[in-house]
Amino acid sequence: QVQLVESGGGDVQAGQALRLSCDATGRLFSMVTMAWYRQAPGKEREMVATITRGGTTRYGNSSQGRFAISRDGLKSRDSLESTIFLQMNNLQPEDSAVYYCNTDPWRVAYFGRGTQVTVSS
């Protein structure tokens, strides 16, 4: 079974921080490039950050300098679980969206429920 479960979202004030987690079940997810995406109502899905298996990161224009993506490997040799994180600092109202983790590129098969982030001014 492969599964991605996002958590850590919430309602915050502008300037505050949140740390999102993505619990990934499936050995595949520890071996490929993973990413965080977000989608606000009425807008296209946007890539926020990606991280390769080796830890190389890439950020979208809106998240560069404020967000940091990281990942843990499999919890043990026999484990199928790993975690991808997104540390978000100095949040702004325009960061409000549902945040999803997925592979890079996005695969519909791995679509999760996401976690809502709402930033008020």
Side-chain angles (χ1 to χ4, degrees), residues 52-116:
T52 68
R53 181 182 182 183
T56 300
T57 58
R58 182 168 61 97
Y59 295 92
N61 290 337
S62 60
S63 54
Q64 182 76 43
R66 298 186 299 127
F67 294 5
I69 188 172
S70 60
R71 68 190 298 172
D72 287 344
L74 292 173
K75 292 177 172 37
S76 70
R77 193 174 72 172
D78 298 323
S79 174
L80 299 177
E81 297 183 354
S82 59
T83 308
I84 303 94
F85 302 98
L86 184 68
Q87 176 67 42
M88 304 188 295
N89 299 323
N90 190 22
L91 284 161
Q92 300 300 313
E94 53 266 34
D95 296 316
S96 298
V98 179
Y99 285 71
Y100 303 92
C101 69
N102 205 302
T103 56
D104 177 33
W106 174 281
R107 295 284 186 245
V108 173
Y110 306 141
F111 180 76
R113 298 180 65 179
T115 186
Q116 175 72 48

Side-chain angles (χ1 to χ4, degrees), residues 11-71:
D11 297 341
V12 297
Q13 298 286 319
Q16 292 185 321
L18 283 173
R19 190 188 196 210
L20 306 184
S21 297
C22 172
D23 291 322
T25 301
R27 191 173 297 274
L28 164 72
F29 297 124
S30 70
M31 299 169 61
V32 300
T33 298
M34 296 297 293
W36 282 96
Y37 302 85
R38 68 187 184 187
Q39 188 163 20
K43 294 189 176 181
E44 299 271 330
R45 185 175 63 241
E46 174 188 10
M47 186 278 287
V48 175
T50 69
I51 184 166
T52 68
R53 181 182 182 183
T56 300
T57 58
R58 182 168 61 97
Y59 295 92
N61 290 337
S62 60
S63 54
Q64 182 76 43
R66 298 186 299 127
F67 294 5
I69 188 172
S70 60
R71 68 190 298 172

